[in-house]
Amino acid sequence: MSLWLPTAPEQPAGEMENQTKPPDPRPDAPPEYSSHFVPGPPGTAVPPDAGYPGGLPMAYYSPQQPGTFPSYQPIGGTHPVCYQPGKYPVPSQPVPVTWMPGPTPMANCPPGLEYLVQLDNIHVLQHFEPLEMMTHFETNNRYDIKNNSDQMVYIVTEDTDDFTRNAYRTLRPFVLRVTDCMGREIMTMQRPFRCTCCCFCCPSARQELEVQCPPGVTLGFVAEHWNLCRAVYSIQNEKKENMMRVRGPCSTYGCGSDSVFEVKSLDGVSNIGSIIRKWNGLLSAMADADHFDIHFPLDLDVKMKAMIFGACFLIDFMYFERSPPQPSR
């Protein structure tokens, strides 16, 4: 006795293969969600990433694809917010330096001194060196020269080797180089070494500064005169002929007040200008960060303006350059 069992109808091989595959879990269309999000205008078309020819992989969102998270744009601007205020540090940027506009060349004026023709007041600001204060290692002095509008006029840099600076300290011979906004050296000031072992009234013990403008061409000299109680200098031309005098206070190390060095005529009657060392409080007493104000008439010969400018640095090195205390043995 034979049993008959029903059998499924024969199907093509292609349909059999389709039935053996698991069903696709992805729905044909995304489900409907109630959302309060109002889509904005569509963004510009962006080509797909080179690493993904078909577009971004799953789990990556692109602001240009519809239905994804929109990118935030601040109201009233086109640049996105880069840093949250007070949380992330903003990269430090150098402070821009404003230079005085360069004047046109003038007849009978050494090149580079055209700036001084337009000025009757300049400020000499010495750079503060914290490392020098902590280690007592003398470094090259640097100065910023500015006008009343806080515009840079010159930069003055000392050019002295380490041994000379730290062996001779305030008595060291030095070379100061004055550069303009183009980095050109327009003036050089040189102080030779003078021995102080001799009597103060001896000419070989008196300090002197030579000013060259342009470098290599002597413009004049600033010569010290011996005086019992105050600083006295002569401003001389290139032939060492006295042109003006500088007369300092009885106490150049005044504490709590400015030190005024008057620039006078040779007879001492006319007051031509002044070199004022400003008192900066505790910084003036403990560190080398001097501030000088130089005043002269606007119509004064520009060469004499440059000589008064040079006298300021000899005064600074002789009276206001601090020598660190020597260790006791």
Side-chain angles (χ1 to χ4, degrees):
M1 181 176 178
S2 62
L3 297 176
W4 176 81
L5 296 176
T7 59
E10 294 183 0
Q11 299 178 357
E15 296 181 3
M16 292 293 293
E17 293 178 358
N18 292 337
Q19 290 182 0
T20 58
K21 291 183 179 180
D24 191 353
R26 296 174 295 180
D28 295 336
E32 296 293 337
Y33 292 98
S34 60
S35 174
H36 299 286
F37 168 70
V38 178
T44 57
V46 176
D49 194 357
Y52 301 95
L56 294 176
M58 294 181 62
Y60 282 79
Y61 294 95
S62 172
Q64 289 77 23
Q65 295 179 357
T68 56
F69 299 107
S71 60
Y72 171 74
Q73 293 291 338
I75 300 175
T78 58
H79 300 283
V81 177
C82 298
Y83 296 99
Q84 179 179 348
K87 185 174 183 180
Y88 299 100
V90 179
S92 58
Q93 297 180 356
V95 179
V97 177
T98 304
W99 285 85
M100 181 178 175
T104 57
M106 301 179 182
N108 301 324
C109 178
L113 296 187
E114 296 89 355
Y115 296 93
L116 298 181
V117 175
Q118 310 175 43
L119 301 175
D120 61 353
N121 182 20
I122 56 177
H123 305 273
V124 179
L125 307 173
Q126 184 179 1
H127 287 212
F128 173 60
E129 301 291 347
L131 186 62
E132 178 179 324
M133 182 177 178
M134 293 185 294
T135 62
H136 295 165
F137 182 84
E138 190 72 25
T139 59
N140 280 321
N141 288 354
R142 296 178 299 166
Y143 305 85
D144 291 342
I145 314 303
K146 297 185 177 182
N147 59 14
N148 284 338
S149 300
D150 202 34
Q151 295 175 330
M152 193 81 74
V153 182
Y154 300 122
I155 292 179
V156 181
T157 307
E158 180 185 359
D159 186 6
T160 311
D161 61 272
D162 295 340
F163 174 78
T164 301
R165 287 195 311 271
N166 291 274
Y168 296 96
R169 298 292 179 177
T170 60
L171 296 176
R172 64 183 182 265
F174 59 77
V175 175
L176 298 179
R177 306 191 184 277
V178 184
T179 56
D180 61 1
C181 62
M182 302 297 293
R184 299 172 299 185
E185 183 177 350
I186 56 99
M187 188 187 306
T188 302
M189 292 175 277
Q190 299 182 6
R191 174 197 186 186
F193 175 73
R194 294 296 176 89
C195 180
T196 58
C197 299
C198 304
C199 178
F200 288 106
C201 60
C202 180
S204 62
R206 300 173 190 171
Q207 300 298 317
E208 186 180 75
L209 179 75
E210 179 185 359
V211 180
Q212 300 177 357
C213 183
V217 179
T218 301
L219 189 66
F221 298 87
V222 180
E224 179 193 17
H225 287 266
W226 182 83
N227 191 280
L228 184 61
C229 61
R230 65 176 68 242
V232 178
Y233 300 91
S234 287
I235 294 181
Q236 305 170 342
N237 59 13
E238 68 277 7
K239 299 178 182 179
K240 288 197 171 185
E241 298 173 345
N242 294 336
M243 305 298 293
M244 295 177 291
R245 288 188 179 273
V246 179
R247 186 172 180 268
C250 292
S251 176
T252 56
Y253 301 96
C255 181
S257 61
D258 299 341
S259 299
V260 181
F261 294 78
E262 298 176 343
V263 181
K264 293 182 172 293
S265 58
L266 291 179
D267 55 10
V269 177
S270 302
N271 189 9
I272 299 175
S274 62
I275 302 173
I276 304 174
R277 190 254 188 174
K278 307 295 290 185
W279 174 256
N280 290 332
L282 190 61
L283 195 63
S284 297
M286 299 184 60
D288 291 337
D290 295 319
H291 176 192
F292 289 89
D293 281 354
I294 303 177
H295 302 267
F296 35 62
L298 184 63
D299 57 350
L300 183 66
D301 183 11
V302 67
K303 295 182 180 180
M304 292 298 101
K305 289 184 179 182
M307 293 306 304
I308 297 175
F309 174 62
C312 172
F313 295 95
L314 183 59
I315 292 172
D316 181 33
F317 273 85
M318 289 188 61
Y319 297 103
F320 305 109
E321 183 75 8
R322 304 294 180 184
S323 292
Q326 302 296 329
S328 58
R329 297 181 180 179

